[in-house]
Amino acid sequence: MKLHNISLGNIQRRKGKMLFLVLGLVMGISTVVTLVSITESMTWNIEQRLNQFGANIVMVPKSDRLSLHYGGINVGGVNYQVREFDQKKLSDIRTIKNHKNLSIIAPKVLGPVTVKNKTVLLMGVVFEQELALKTWWHKSAGRFPERENDVMLGSRAAALLGYKVGDTIRLSDRAFNIAAILRPTGASEDDAIMVSLIAGQTVLGKEGKLSMVEISAFCQGCPISEMTLQIAEKFPHAKVTAMKQAVMSKMQSIEMFKSFSLGVSILVILIGSLLVMVTMMGSVNERTREIGIFRAIGFRRGHVMQIILLEALLLGIIGGIMGFVTGNLMACSLIPMVIKDGVFAGINSTLGIVSLFMAVALSLLASLYPAVKASNMDPSEALRAL
Amino acid sequence: MTQANHLIEVHGLNKAYLNGDTRVEAIKQMDFFIDDEEFITLMGPSGSGKSTLLSILGGLNHPNQGKVFIDSLDLYALTAEQRADFRSEYIGFVFQSFQLIPYLTVLENVTLPMAVTGQKKKVKTQMAMTVIDRVGLGTKALRLPDQLSGGEQERVAIARAIVNKPPLILADEPTGNLDSKTAKDIMILLQSLNTDGHTVVVVTHNADMEAYASRCIRVQDGKCFV
Ligand SMILES: Nc1ncnc2c1ncn2[C@@H]1O[C@H](COP(=O)(O)OP(=O)(O)O)[C@@H](O)[C@H]1O
Ligand SMILES: [Mg+2]
């Protein structure tokens, strides 16, 4: 016979009431687990599809000229005078402090070419990176360029120049095969001809040069502005700009959801603790005489308190485990409804440990007052109670 | 102040309860002693203060005035926790309506007082079984209290009271709820415990029970008549 035998015996005897208490804990813990899981899945799902936000850092050569562009209109007239920087140094970007958060690095070279007496924007790109970055690019015909002499035309460029897939196009005396035509995107590439980076550099006579680099970085709470500074430090001749809007607005909605979750969690936990406290208090009141007996046969106040808190501990462990399981089940079934195409990010063992500790702490805290009250009962009064 | 052969000494004891606005003098200026190995009955009508006196002797109820010495120990000079330890070591309580823990078996109920003492589990079980045998319930050790008769439950209560081998057994109307045959058996059991060396104080309002005692202390209106 030890004190825990008494606690266990009481739990077994008052299954109904104890279940009610555990329910309070399960309610609190499962809500927290569900909300945390949903938040995690949101972030995770965004990370998984980070590319759809496009570049969030853009690197261009520093210029002492003022921009003559506004809202897509170039008031400076046709002006393809672009400056470049060296391609060789680009690998330095992988040495910044947050290099692990760099996802896609899409270098490109830009310049004018003349085709059928028209001046057209030529973009030399690394197709693999470019296509990964611009998930909204769809070809209306053909296949995306793979070979050195494959080109891809923007929809307007193709229409105005009168080309279709399979045609041959000559760019400064070099013959290229039109592999694909892009569907309209509403952006500059509609008017452009895209070739591989090396081909572009050769055609434009800018071997080893880059006109701009688009960078996609994403991570949970990614320090985009800090990374921008880190990159700028490595490339003193480049102007590095963070284009945060898309990611920031997504992150903002997650942050908002987080605040909402926190509020709901606090509320539900408060209700749960109240349930635990009321149930424990009821149990203590019911056991007044029993407590009187304990005191009469030589239990100290501390022993009585231990019995109650031991019960709270056991119920806390049960509630924590059950709450975690319930929370994961709820998250699993809720996520597809809350997040479009959302996938459950998986069971988080840290969250499991945290919820166990939380349930135990909650149960103990809520039972503290009943336990103190039980231990302070006057034994002779307690024995008189009927 | 205390004499060597007095197990209990009560000096100028007073206890009053506040029942709302009215003050009930449950114990008025009591003085008496009980010797080691006596079998005392506390007799008196209902409401005369017997239970109050017993709980004070057992260190459960703080008097307003006066002192209680047990084995020369000034009981109410101790802290509450010290008094709990004292009860564990010195006192075996037997209550009127058995007061067993319903969700524990006979064996567990009897082992209960040892939950706060340091013996090994095996020793505890052995000690508990010895006293369960002693009260004649050896075959019913694994039953729950509500599977026993009233007389048997009272025996369990007595077994629980003696398991820690306390020098003093305090019983509050242990036969109050029993038929006269069973009541006699219980008194005989208490008598034999007294013979074994326990000092026994039994509260009763049944004059028949006087026969088993070595001495009777009468209580009336909170006063005692030795
Ligand atoms: N805890 C208490 N609170 C208020 N009054 C009490 C309390 N205990 C006993 N009394 C009163 O004190 C008197 C003596 O009670 P008690 O000691 O139980 O007498 P007995 O056991 O002889 O019947 C009674 O009037 C009873 O109502
Ligand atoms: Mg009484």
Side-chain angles (χ1 to χ4, degrees):
Chain A
M1 174 61 55
K2 286 263 175 65
L3 293 179
H4 68 252
N5 295 103
I6 301 171
S7 306
L8 275 172
N10 182 56
I11 290 174
Q12 272 164 12
R13 189 167 102 101
R14 286 165 220 258
K15 281 199 191 83
K17 286 225 170 58
M18 298 298 137
L19 203 74
F20 201 63
L21 191 154
V22 169
L23 212 72
L25 292 172
V26 169
M27 197 176 77
I29 300 302
S30 63
T31 307
V32 174
V33 170
T34 306
L35 292 175
V36 170
S37 296
I38 290 180
T39 315
E40 258 179 18
S41 294
M42 277 180 161
T43 317
W44 188 76
N45 281 293
I46 287 176
E47 279 182 44
Q48 287 302 301
R49 281 176 282 149
L50 61 96
N51 300 345
Q52 80 189 34
F53 302 118
N56 38 35
I57 299 174
V58 173
M59 206 166 123
V60 293
K62 254 187 197 148
S63 164
D64 43 17
R65 272 181 292 174
L66 292 171
S67 170
L68 295 172
H69 280 275
Y70 186 78
I73 310 246
N74 183 358
V75 295
V78 185
N79 183 358
Y80 290 116
Q81 282 312 112
V82 269
R83 296 164 57 131
E84 289 85 28
F85 42 60
D86 277 344
Q87 188 181 355
K88 271 187 296 192
K89 288 205 203 127
L90 189 62
S91 52
D92 283 1
I93 202 165
R94 293 281 177 198
T95 62
I96 64 163
K97 184 163 153 278
N98 281 78
H99 63 93
K100 283 210 181 76
N101 297 333
L102 292 170
S103 169
I104 298 172
I105 298 170
K108 46 188 73 68
V109 63
L110 304 174
V113 282
T114 309
V115 181
K116 292 188 176 172
N117 293 324
K118 286 196 169 77
T119 307
V120 189
L121 170 64
L122 182 73
M123 292 170 65
V125 301
V126 179
F127 277 106
E128 198 189 321
Q129 300 289 319
E130 208 65 24
L131 291 171
L133 190 64
K134 294 175 178 162
T135 47
W136 57 88
W137 278 11
H138 296 289
K139 54 192 188 302
S140 61
R143 47 164 183 80
F144 281 127
E146 278 158 14
R147 279 183 292 247
E148 189 65 3
N149 61 342
D150 280 348
V151 302
M152 178 162 77
L153 264 58
S155 58
R156 249 166 61 84
L160 286 176
L161 298 173
Y163 281 119
K164 55 185 191 304
V165 172
D167 288 352
T168 302
I169 184 171
R170 297 197 70 83
L171 302 171
S172 70
D173 296 333
R174 214 176 127 180
F176 288 87
N177 164 48
I178 298 178
I181 292 172
L182 264 187
R183 275 204 228 148
T185 63
S188 322
E189 55 266 12
D190 282 354
D191 293 358
I193 297 173
M194 285 147 275
V195 292
S196 72
L197 185 62
I198 292 173
Q201 287 166 336
T202 324
V203 169
L204 295 171
K206 295 178 178 179
E207 282 87 351
K209 302 272 180 201
L210 296 176
S211 314
M212 83 184 282
V213 183
E214 284 182 294
I215 297 159
S216 158
F218 194 82
C219 49
Q220 198 168 348
C222 212
I224 297 285
S225 7
E226 223 170 272
M227 289 175 68
T228 307
L229 286 176
Q230 291 168 9
I231 295 170
E233 225 168 78
K234 292 272 175 207
F235 302 92
H237 299 297
K239 186 173 130 211
V240 186
T241 322
M243 309 185 67
K244 297 191 276 193
Q245 293 94 322
V247 183
M248 285 323 251
S249 72
K250 274 284 172 188
M251 286 310 282
Q252 238 166 25
S253 64
I254 291 183
E255 286 304 321
M256 263 164 71
F257 185 74
K258 270 186 186 164
S259 317
F260 163 78
S261 301
L262 189 70
V264 171
S265 300
I266 289 174
L267 195 74
V268 175
I269 281 193
L270 228 63
I271 296 169
S273 327
L274 219 66
L275 215 62
V276 172
M277 185 147 118
V278 168
T279 316
M280 256 319 179
M281 205 67 222
S283 166
V284 163
N285 284 335
E286 260 176 47
R287 294 160 78 188
T288 302
R289 284 230 284 173
E290 195 179 304
I291 291 162
I293 299 167
F294 291 152
R295 300 284 278 124
I297 63 175
F299 284 25
R300 292 178 172 200
R301 282 182 187 162
H303 293 132
V304 173
M305 198 138 127
Q306 267 180 54
I307 293 171
I308 311 274
L309 291 182
L310 220 61
E311 277 169 34
L313 177 76
L314 287 171
L315 296 171
I317 292 172
I318 297 172
I321 293 171
M322 281 174 61
F324 183 62
V325 171
T326 314
N328 274 304
L329 289 176
M330 288 211 299
C332 220
S333 52
L334 277 178
I335 282 168
M337 288 187 242
V338 181
I339 312 167
K340 191 172 156 280
D341 301 324
V343 196
F344 181 48
I347 288 172
N348 180 336
S349 54
T350 317
L351 185 60
I353 293 164
V354 169
S355 40
L356 191 65
F357 273 101
M358 211 159 69
V360 167
L362 211 77
S363 183
L364 286 177
L365 271 175
S367 304
L368 203 61
Y369 175 67
V372 167
K373 201 184 164 222
S375 70
N376 280 338
M377 276 181 187
D378 180 73
S380 68
E381 293 276 343
L383 280 167
R384 271 170 59 96
L386 260 173
Chain B
M1 197 174 186
T2 62
Q3 288 181 22
N5 57 336
H6 292 173
L7 180 66
I8 304 176
E9 280 192 22
V10 171
H11 296 287
L13 201 64
N14 280 282
K15 175 75 189 182
Y17 296 106
L18 272 182
N19 260 341
D21 286 340
T22 54
R23 193 177 153 88
V24 182
E25 307 270 350
I27 306 278
K28 299 170 197 161
Q29 204 57 32
M30 277 192 186
D31 288 281
F32 65 88
F33 61 87
I34 293 171
D35 282 339
D36 204 9
E37 300 192 21
E38 273 197 289
F39 189 147
I40 302 284
T41 47
L42 279 178
M43 294 267 288
S46 183
S48 55
K50 306 180 297 290
S51 295
T52 302
L53 179 57
L54 204 71
S55 65
I56 292 175
L57 294 183
L60 283 177
N61 199 351
H62 221 288
N64 299 114
Q65 261 178 48
K67 281 189 184 296
V68 177
F69 293 95
I70 297 195
D71 220 1
S72 304
L73 202 72
D74 187 349
L75 198 48
Y76 290 94
L78 303 177
T79 66
E81 298 296 59
Q82 284 172 329
R83 257 198 314 284
D85 295 346
F86 161 85
R87 283 195 293 274
S88 166
E89 199 181 326
Y90 267 80
I91 311 281
F93 270 107
V94 182
F95 307 99
Q96 180 167 2
S97 36
F98 327 129
Q99 307 277 23
L100 302 176
I101 310 292
Y103 53 85
L104 299 179
T105 62
V106 168
L107 178 61
E108 287 168 336
N109 263 287
V110 174
T111 323
L112 203 60
M114 293 187 285
V116 296
T117 61
Q119 299 99 321
K120 290 219 171 65
K121 193 183 171 194
K122 224 172 107 187
V123 177
K124 286 181 184 177
T125 309
Q126 234 164 33
M127 285 170 72
M129 278 317 293
T130 308
V131 290
I132 290 169
D133 282 335
R134 176 87 166 76
V135 300
L137 289 174
T139 57
K140 297 177 176 174
L142 296 179
R143 295 209 190 169
L144 288 171
D146 60 8
Q147 297 167 323
L148 300 175
S149 71
E152 287 170 332
Q153 291 189 43
E154 191 65 60
R155 287 168 184 278
V156 179
I158 292 172
R160 184 178 65 191
I162 59 176
V163 75
N164 273 342
K165 301 189 173 72
L168 181 58
I169 295 170
L170 302 175
D172 195 352
E173 308 207 31
T175 59
N177 290 343
L178 304 176
D179 62 79
S180 57
K181 162 78 179 66
T182 319
K184 268 180 197 157
D185 292 344
I186 294 293
M187 290 308 280
I188 291 167
L189 176 59
L190 289 172
Q191 210 173 29
S192 74
L193 291 175
N194 176 238
T195 314
D196 287 354
H198 296 279
T199 304
V200 181
V201 179
V202 181
V203 167
T204 177
H205 55 246
N206 184 346
D208 294 347
M209 299 304 157
E210 224 176 300
Y212 300 91
S214 56
R215 188 157 65 99
C216 179
I217 296 176
R218 278 164 216 290
V219 183
Q220 188 126 28
D221 289 334
K223 297 195 181 95
C224 70
F225 307 92
V226 181

